[in-house]
Amino acid sequence: MRAATPDREEPAVTDAAPTDDVRWLTADQQEHWRAFRDGTALLLDVLARELDCGSGLSLGEYEVLVRLSEAPGRALRMSELADDLAHSRSRLTHTVARMERAGLVRREPVPGDARGVACVLTDHGWRVLVAAAPGHVESVRRHLVDVLDDAQLAALGTAMQVVVDHLRTPACERARDQGDVSDVTAASA
């Protein structure tokens, strides 16, 4: 169990017996859930380690560079970038600040929008991305794409898109922003 921190309360513990209204996972569902959870954790860990060793970039930094490289003018509003990456604005701000210090990106005001800030890929950031991409793509192939057959990869992609679409519904986003799990549960019912 994780220790309580000043901004996070200790998890509630109760002596009450589990209630009948909980939809417990079946044995097959539990097996698939654990395979997904463990596979995702192991995959992201190896991809992160190999990317860091090969380029010095974190997965988050690499994804920022990729999204900017695909955007018109190699620039995106910070809010769009956060939404694209499914990152909190706070987390993205810290990542971009670190990348800005390394000369990979720069932040600029959005013309005509006093509050808007754009993140722009620098020429140095482009060169770092071009150098990192072949090794990262090879790592993704070695640990995911080439491990699955075409049907398995397609099924995985289709299934995860359903999850992404669900988690990006207004009810789920509102609940996530407010930290209210009951709204997420209600949104999925």
Side-chain angles (χ1 to χ4, degrees):
M1 184 181 315
R2 197 171 46 218
T5 60
D7 62 334
R8 188 174 191 103
E9 292 182 19
E10 189 71 35
V13 178
T14 179
D15 290 329
T19 62
D20 290 333
D21 61 343
V22 173
R23 294 179 54 222
W24 297 105
L25 301 181
T26 66
D28 284 347
Q29 290 169 335
Q30 182 76 283
E31 181 182 339
H32 296 314
W33 160 243
R34 287 182 178 171
F36 166 79
R37 184 195 61 208
D38 295 348
T40 301
L42 291 167
L43 177 63
L44 292 177
D45 182 58
V46 74
L47 293 177
R49 278 188 285 112
E50 289 181 2
L51 182 62
D52 183 49
C53 288
S55 68
L57 294 171
S58 71
L59 278 174
E61 292 165 340
Y62 181 84
E63 282 303 316
V64 167
L65 295 178
V66 167
R67 301 303 168 100
L68 293 174
S69 75
E70 297 170 343
R74 295 185 183 162
L76 283 171
R77 285 175 174 270
M78 290 286 289
S79 57
E80 289 177 72
L81 191 54
D83 290 344
D84 277 357
L85 296 171
H87 286 268
S88 71
R89 288 182 175 38
S90 171
R91 179 176 171 201
L92 179 64
T93 298
H94 289 294
T95 300
V96 167
R98 190 173 59 247
M99 295 174 74
E100 197 170 26
R101 287 190 298 275
L104 302 171
V105 299
R106 68 177 179 277
R107 287 181 275 193
E108 302 178 342
V110 174
D113 182 351
R115 293 178 31 198
V117 176
C119 185
V120 181
L121 180 63
T122 64
D123 290 341
H124 173 63
W126 171 253
R127 288 190 299 274
V128 168
L129 175 62
V130 168
H136 181 61
V137 169
E138 177 55 35
S139 184
V140 170
R141 280 199 161 283
R142 185 173 50 255
H143 300 299
L144 178 67
V145 175
D146 294 344
V147 173
L148 303 175
D149 64 32
D150 290 344
Q152 290 169 322
L153 185 61
L156 176 63
T158 299
M160 292 315 300
Q161 189 59 58
V162 170
V163 173
V164 167
D165 292 346
H166 163 72
L167 293 173
R168 287 192 169 152
T169 61
C172 284
E173 288 183 348
R174 224 178 7 264
R176 192 170 43 252
D177 291 345
Q178 297 167 357
D180 183 358
V181 202
S182 64
D183 279 357
V184 174
T185 305
S188 63

Short mmCIF file of all heavy atoms in Angstrom, two decimals, residues 88-118:
data_model
loop_
_atom_site.label_atom_id
_atom_site.label_comp_id
_atom_site.label_asym_id
_atom_site.label_seq_id
_atom_site.Cartn_x
_atom_site.Cartn_y
_atom_site.Cartn_z
N SER A 88 -1.87 15.72 -18.39
CA SER A 88 -2.41 16.89 -17.70
C SER A 88 -1.62 18.10 -18.18
O SER A 88 -0.47 17.99 -18.62
CB SER A 88 -2.26 16.73 -16.19
OG SER A 88 -0.89 16.84 -15.82
N ARG A 89 -2.24 19.25 -18.12
CA ARG A 89 -1.54 20.46 -18.54
C ARG A 89 -0.32 20.72 -17.67
O ARG A 89 0.72 21.16 -18.14
CB ARG A 89 -2.50 21.65 -18.53
CG ARG A 89 -3.50 21.52 -19.69
CD ARG A 89 -4.45 22.65 -19.80
NE ARG A 89 -5.37 22.71 -20.89
CZ ARG A 89 -6.03 21.74 -21.48
NH1 ARG A 89 -5.85 20.51 -21.11
NH2 ARG A 89 -6.89 21.95 -22.44
N SER A 90 -0.43 20.40 -16.39
CA SER A 90 0.69 20.58 -15.47
C SER A 90 1.87 19.68 -15.84
O SER A 90 3.01 20.13 -15.90
CB SER A 90 0.22 20.28 -14.04
OG SER A 90 1.30 20.26 -13.17
N ARG A 91 1.58 18.42 -16.11
CA ARG A 91 2.65 17.48 -16.48
C ARG A 91 3.31 17.92 -17.78
O ARG A 91 4.54 17.88 -17.91
CB ARG A 91 2.06 16.08 -16.62
CG ARG A 91 3.06 15.03 -17.02
CD ARG A 91 2.42 13.66 -17.04
NE ARG A 91 3.30 12.69 -17.62
CZ ARG A 91 2.90 11.55 -18.12
NH1 ARG A 91 1.63 11.22 -18.08
NH2 ARG A 91 3.75 10.71 -18.64
N LEU A 92 2.49 18.33 -18.77
CA LEU A 92 3.05 18.78 -20.03
C LEU A 92 3.91 20.02 -19.85
O LEU A 92 4.98 20.14 -20.44
CB LEU A 92 1.94 19.05 -21.05
CG LEU A 92 2.45 19.54 -22.41
CD1 LEU A 92 3.30 18.48 -23.10
CD2 LEU A 92 1.29 19.97 -23.29
N THR A 93 3.46 20.95 -19.00
CA THR A 93 4.23 22.17 -18.75
C THR A 93 5.61 21.84 -18.22
O THR A 93 6.62 22.42 -18.67
CB THR A 93 3.47 23.09 -17.77
OG1 THR A 93 2.22 23.46 -18.38
CG2 THR A 93 4.26 24.34 -17.44
N HIS A 94 5.70 20.89 -17.30
CA HIS A 94 7.02 20.49 -16.76
C HIS A 94 7.88 19.83 -17.83
O HIS A 94 9.07 20.12 -17.93
CB HIS A 94 6.85 19.55 -15.57
CG HIS A 94 6.31 20.21 -14.35
ND1 HIS A 94 7.00 21.17 -13.65
CD2 HIS A 94 5.13 20.06 -13.71
CE1 HIS A 94 6.29 21.59 -12.64
NE2 HIS A 94 5.14 20.93 -12.65
N THR A 95 7.27 18.95 -18.64
CA THR A 95 8.02 18.28 -19.71
C THR A 95 8.53 19.30 -20.72
O THR A 95 9.70 19.28 -21.10
CB THR A 95 7.13 17.23 -20.41
OG1 THR A 95 6.71 16.26 -19.45
CG2 THR A 95 7.86 16.54 -21.54
N VAL A 96 7.67 20.21 -21.14
CA VAL A 96 8.05 21.21 -22.14
C VAL A 96 9.12 22.16 -21.57
O VAL A 96 10.06 22.53 -22.28
CB VAL A 96 6.82 21.97 -22.67
CG1 VAL A 96 7.22 23.21 -23.46
CG2 VAL A 96 5.97 21.04 -23.53
N ALA A 97 9.03 22.51 -20.31
CA ALA A 97 10.05 23.37 -19.70
C ALA A 97 11.42 22.69 -19.75
O ALA A 97 12.43 23.33 -20.09
CB ALA A 97 9.67 23.71 -18.26
N ARG A 98 11.45 21.41 -19.44
CA ARG A 98 12.71 20.64 -19.50
C ARG A 98 13.22 20.59 -20.94
O ARG A 98 14.42 20.77 -21.20
CB ARG A 98 12.44 19.24 -18.95
CG ARG A 98 13.65 18.40 -18.72
CD ARG A 98 13.32 17.08 -18.01
NE ARG A 98 12.37 16.26 -18.74
CZ ARG A 98 11.13 15.98 -18.33
NH1 ARG A 98 10.68 16.45 -17.19
NH2 ARG A 98 10.33 15.21 -19.06
N MET A 99 12.32 20.37 -21.88
CA MET A 99 12.70 20.30 -23.29
C MET A 99 13.16 21.66 -23.82
O MET A 99 14.06 21.74 -24.66
CB MET A 99 11.52 19.78 -24.12
CG MET A 99 11.15 18.34 -23.79
SD MET A 99 9.67 17.81 -24.66
CE MET A 99 10.31 17.62 -26.32
N GLU A 100 12.54 22.71 -23.31
CA GLU A 100 12.94 24.06 -23.72
C GLU A 100 14.36 24.36 -23.24
O GLU A 100 15.17 24.92 -24.00
CB GLU A 100 11.94 25.06 -23.14
CG GLU A 100 11.97 26.42 -23.79
CD GLU A 100 10.81 27.29 -23.37
OE1 GLU A 100 10.25 27.11 -22.27
OE2 GLU A 100 10.45 28.18 -24.16
N ARG A 101 14.68 23.96 -22.02
CA ARG A 101 16.04 24.15 -21.50
C ARG A 101 17.07 23.40 -22.34
O ARG A 101 18.21 23.84 -22.48
CB ARG A 101 16.13 23.73 -20.04
CG ARG A 101 15.45 24.69 -19.08
CD ARG A 101 15.77 24.38 -17.63
NE ARG A 101 15.30 23.07 -17.19
CZ ARG A 101 14.07 22.80 -16.75
NH1 ARG A 101 13.18 23.77 -16.68
NH2 ARG A 101 13.74 21.59 -16.38
N ALA A 102 16.66 22.27 -22.92
CA ALA A 102 17.55 21.47 -23.77
C ALA A 102 17.58 21.97 -25.21
O ALA A 102 18.32 21.42 -26.04
CB ALA A 102 17.12 20.01 -23.73
N GLY A 103 16.78 22.99 -25.52
CA GLY A 103 16.76 23.56 -26.86
C GLY A 103 15.97 22.74 -27.87
O GLY A 103 16.09 22.96 -29.08
N LEU A 104 15.12 21.82 -27.41
CA LEU A 104 14.34 20.97 -28.30
C LEU A 104 13.08 21.66 -28.81
O LEU A 104 12.61 21.40 -29.91
CB LEU A 104 13.95 19.66 -27.61
CG LEU A 104 15.11 18.81 -27.09
CD1 LEU A 104 14.58 17.67 -26.22
CD2 LEU A 104 15.94 18.29 -28.25
N VAL A 105 12.52 22.52 -27.97
CA VAL A 105 11.29 23.26 -28.29
C VAL A 105 11.43 24.67 -27.75
O VAL A 105 12.33 24.97 -26.96
CB VAL A 105 10.03 22.59 -27.67
CG1 VAL A 105 9.84 21.17 -28.19
CG2 VAL A 105 10.07 22.61 -26.16
N ARG A 106 10.50 25.51 -28.18
CA ARG A 106 10.39 26.84 -27.57
C ARG A 106 8.90 27.16 -27.44
O ARG A 106 8.09 26.63 -28.19
CB ARG A 106 11.12 27.91 -28.37
CG ARG A 106 10.53 28.24 -29.70
CD ARG A 106 11.29 29.37 -30.43
NE ARG A 106 10.69 29.62 -31.71
CZ ARG A 106 10.95 28.92 -32.80
NH1 ARG A 106 11.84 27.96 -32.78
NH2 ARG A 106 10.32 29.20 -33.94
N ARG A 107 8.58 27.99 -26.48
CA ARG A 107 7.20 28.43 -26.32
C ARG A 107 7.07 29.85 -26.84
O ARG A 107 7.96 30.67 -26.62
CB ARG A 107 6.77 28.35 -24.85
CG ARG A 107 6.56 26.91 -24.42
CD ARG A 107 6.14 26.82 -22.99
NE ARG A 107 7.33 26.82 -22.14
CZ ARG A 107 7.34 26.52 -20.86
NH1 ARG A 107 6.21 26.21 -20.25
NH2 ARG A 107 8.44 26.53 -20.17
N GLU A 108 5.95 30.10 -27.53
CA GLU A 108 5.69 31.42 -28.11
C GLU A 108 4.23 31.78 -27.87
O GLU A 108 3.38 30.89 -27.83
CB GLU A 108 5.88 31.40 -29.63
CG GLU A 108 7.20 30.98 -30.12
CD GLU A 108 7.27 30.97 -31.65
OE1 GLU A 108 6.21 30.96 -32.32
OE2 GLU A 108 8.40 30.97 -32.16
N PRO A 109 3.96 33.07 -27.76
CA PRO A 109 2.55 33.48 -27.69
C PRO A 109 1.84 33.15 -29.00
O PRO A 109 2.46 33.16 -30.06
CB PRO A 109 2.62 35.00 -27.48
CG PRO A 109 4.06 35.36 -27.35
CD PRO A 109 4.89 34.18 -27.69
N VAL A 110 0.57 32.83 -28.90
CA VAL A 110 -0.25 32.59 -30.10
C VAL A 110 -0.72 33.95 -30.61
O VAL A 110 -1.36 34.69 -29.85
CB VAL A 110 -1.45 31.68 -29.78
CG1 VAL A 110 -2.38 31.55 -30.98
CG2 VAL A 110 -0.97 30.31 -29.31
N PRO A 111 -0.42 34.28 -31.87
CA PRO A 111 -0.84 35.59 -32.40
C PRO A 111 -2.37 35.76 -32.29
O PRO A 111 -3.13 34.85 -32.61
CB PRO A 111 -0.41 35.54 -33.87
CG PRO A 111 0.65 34.49 -33.92
CD PRO A 111 0.31 33.50 -32.85
N GLY A 112 -2.78 36.91 -31.79
CA GLY A 112 -4.20 37.21 -31.68
C GLY A 112 -4.89 36.58 -30.48
O GLY A 112 -6.11 36.71 -30.33
N ASP A 113 -4.15 35.91 -29.62
CA ASP A 113 -4.73 35.29 -28.43
C ASP A 113 -3.80 35.59 -27.26
O ASP A 113 -2.76 34.94 -27.09
CB ASP A 113 -4.87 33.78 -28.63
CG ASP A 113 -5.52 33.07 -27.45
OD1 ASP A 113 -5.71 33.72 -26.39
OD2 ASP A 113 -5.82 31.88 -27.57
N ALA A 114 -4.19 36.56 -26.45
CA ALA A 114 -3.33 37.03 -25.36
C ALA A 114 -2.97 35.93 -24.36
O ALA A 114 -1.93 35.98 -23.73
CB ALA A 114 -3.99 38.20 -24.63
N ARG A 115 -3.85 34.94 -24.22
CA ARG A 115 -3.59 33.88 -23.24
C ARG A 115 -3.01 32.61 -23.85
O ARG A 115 -2.53 31.74 -23.15
CB ARG A 115 -4.88 33.54 -22.51
CG ARG A 115 -5.36 34.69 -21.64
CD ARG A 115 -6.65 34.41 -20.94
NE ARG A 115 -6.86 33.02 -20.61
CZ ARG A 115 -8.03 32.49 -20.31
NH1 ARG A 115 -9.09 33.25 -20.31
NH2 ARG A 115 -8.15 31.23 -20.00
N GLY A 116 -3.05 32.49 -25.18
CA GLY A 116 -2.61 31.26 -25.84
C GLY A 116 -1.10 31.16 -25.92
O GLY A 116 -0.40 32.14 -26.17
N VAL A 117 -0.60 29.94 -25.70
CA VAL A 117 0.83 29.67 -25.81
C VAL A 117 1.01 28.47 -26.73
O VAL A 117 0.33 27.45 -26.58
CB VAL A 117 1.47 29.36 -24.43
CG1 VAL A 117 2.93 28.98 -24.57
CG2 VAL A 117 1.30 30.55 -23.49
N ALA A 118 1.92 28.61 -27.69
CA ALA A 118 2.22 27.53 -28.61
C ALA A 118 3.57 26.92 -28.25
O ALA A 118 4.47 27.61 -27.77
CB ALA A 118 2.25 28.03 -30.05
#
